[in-house]
Amino acid sequence: MKKYTLQKSPFIVPTTDGKLIEEHHGIPTTQNRNVSIAHMIAPPQWSEPFQTPEFDEYTYIIKGKKQFIIEGETVILEAGQSIHIQKNTRVQYSNPFEEPCEYIAICTPAFDFNKVHRE
């Protein structure tokens, strides 16, 4: 029995806002409910509604910038920076900038649309 899971075919999450989401590990790809790992590219001027998820989220910026509004405080991350947002925290993710933002997102437990609680 293998002691590893090699992911060569991430699940491309269908979106209507131009954001690319390639989930490598998580519920739809590896049935892992403990963690999800996704590579994402948010287009310029992209934003999501506020949400209060039931999972922690870690974000690492590869290229560009990403804006977070966390409990009313605005935080802007740039390439090479990361952030951890604890579960049950009200947050909005966006890219109000002129260039795409490429990043990795890790959720623990795994991202679950039924537990993200978007407004």
Side-chain angles (χ1 to χ4, degrees), residues 9-50:
S9 302
F11 175 68
I12 307 299
V13 178
T15 64
T16 58
D17 58 5
K19 182 178 175 187
L20 171 67
I21 305 172
E22 299 174 323
E23 184 171 283
H24 285 261
H25 296 274
I27 297 169
T29 51
T30 56
Q31 292 72 57
N32 188 334
R33 295 190 166 278
N34 297 318
V35 65
S36 60
I37 301 173
H39 170 250
M40 303 191 193
I41 300 176
Q45 308 305 315
W46 165 86
S47 69
E48 287 182 338
F50 278 91

Side-chain angles (χ1 to χ4, degrees), residues 34 90 113:
N34 297 318
R90 186 173 185 261
F113 193 78

